[in-house]
Amino acid sequence: MRMISKTQIDDAVIWAVANQKGGVGKTVTTVNLAAALSAMGKRVLVVDLDPQGSASNNLLSGGAGWGGVYGVMRGEIGAKEAVQKDQCAGIDVLAADEDLVAVEVELVGIVGREAVLAGRLEGIRRLYDYVVIDSPPTMGFLAINALVAADRVLVPIQCEYMALEGLTRLMATLDRVAALKGLERIKRMYVLTMYDQRTNLSSDVVREVREHLGGEVAKTMIPRAIKVAEAPGFGRTVLDHDPWGAASLAYRVLAEEVANVSRS
């Protein structure tokens, strides 16, 4: 299987949203960043690589259906044929459900199995401006496939106690994936989520993260907002559910940051 080492000028920029620490806003960031990029007129594909299927359930009323990303990774269906469309946000989706748990065992004998997703996406990259992958909160087979397929990694960091917990392990994993792809380093952006300006804790976390990670931290911070938590229950992104709210504005600004750095 041929590895993808360089994004061609007409290909989508692939972002993997990853953090092995759960509860940091990874899926919420995937869905709403994709919606904000779509609102900018960009062609966007969301790849749900988390067997919980939260991104799929947020964006699609029917869930994964037959095929989905599980069928794509098994080679049973082409990525183009498996894509479903979210009519509300204008996003294409490769959906996931609990069947995806089995794919690691089923592909155990495949040579270069860490690059299966990269190979499956290669044929449709020219159809999009951005591909955003929601990876599971573990550094197993699926998450490694997301990182190998990605050109860049977006790491959500919750503005709460022990925010930097686990990042050392994630950075080590990124270094191993970079070596696998023949790169010196995988480009990344850290984004602070669930920021509450009323608390000293949030301010302390922001200061600590910016001191440790410097210029790779997004200028935009995603505020804690009840509308963000409500939106999936209505089958909407927060941009649809609360278009003029602080969180929607933050995701729109984050999308501009992502667009600005994507081609650098």
Side-chain angles (χ1 to χ4, degrees):
M1 183 177 296
R2 182 167 68 87
M3 296 290 289
I4 300 173
S5 60
K6 183 179 180 181
T7 304
Q8 300 300 314
I9 190 66
D10 294 327
D11 286 350
V13 179
I14 301 180
W15 284 82
V17 181
N19 192 329
Q20 62 199 59
K21 187 175 185 295
V24 298
K26 180 174 55 60
T27 296
V28 167
T29 297
T30 298
V31 167
N32 290 295
L33 171 62
L37 289 167
S38 179
M40 293 168 61
K42 305 300 182 182
R43 301 165 299 168
V44 182
L45 171 67
V46 167
V47 179
D48 189 354
L49 217 61
D50 188 341
Q52 296 180 75
S54 298
S56 304
N57 292 331
N58 192 162
L59 293 169
L60 301 170
S61 59
W66 184 82
V69 73
Y70 172 67
V72 170
M73 292 193 72
R74 283 172 50 88
E76 296 175 340
I77 184 173
K80 185 176 181 180
E81 290 70 36
V83 164
Q84 300 181 63
K85 294 187 178 294
D86 170 36
Q87 301 300 326
C88 182
I91 301 166
D92 284 1
V93 183
L94 276 177
D97 59 22
E98 64 273 9
D99 289 344
L100 191 56
V101 172
V103 79
E104 178 175 2
V105 174
E106 293 170 350
L107 298 183
V108 69
I110 300 295
V111 176
R113 69 193 193 115
E114 69 282 346
V116 168
L117 181 64
R120 301 290 192 253
L121 294 178
E122 190 170 1
I124 63 169
R125 289 186 67 162
R126 290 181 178 270
L127 302 178
Y128 300 98
D129 299 304
Y130 295 95
V131 176
V132 186
I133 305 173
D134 187 24
S135 57
T138 58
M139 285 296 113
F141 169 75
L142 292 171
I144 296 300
N145 262 264
L147 297 176
V148 170
D151 303 303
R152 294 173 176 268
V153 178
L154 186 72
V155 183
I157 301 176
Q158 187 180 14
C159 289
E160 292 194 359
Y161 181 64
M162 297 184 73
L164 295 173
E165 181 186 19
L167 281 185
T168 300
R169 294 192 299 275
L170 176 60
M171 291 175 183
T173 301
L174 292 177
D175 289 342
R176 290 195 295 272
V177 171
L180 182 67
K181 298 176 70 171
L183 301 173
E184 290 186 6
R185 194 170 190 274
I186 293 178
K187 295 178 180 180
R188 65 205 69 175
M189 176 187 285
Y190 301 93
V191 57
L192 291 153
T193 62
M194 305 182 199
Y195 173 69
D196 188 344
Q197 63 180 352
R198 300 168 300 179
T199 68
N200 291 332
L201 176 59
S202 280
S203 298
D204 291 343
V205 170
V206 169
R207 181 173 61 254
E208 182 180 11
V209 169
R210 294 198 185 279
E211 285 177 357
H212 279 81
L213 302 175
E216 291 183 322
V217 183
K219 295 181 177 65
T220 311
M221 296 182 292
I222 308 302
R224 183 180 292 277
I226 189 63
K227 296 295 185 180
V228 174
E230 285 180 355
F234 291 90
R236 302 171 182 164
T237 69
V238 74
L239 276 74
D240 296 314
H241 185 60
D242 185 32
W244 306 111
S248 293
L249 176 60
Y251 277 115
R252 291 180 187 275
V253 177
L254 177 64
E256 292 176 359
E257 281 198 67
V258 165
N260 287 338
V261 304
S262 287
R263 296 296 180 182
S264 63

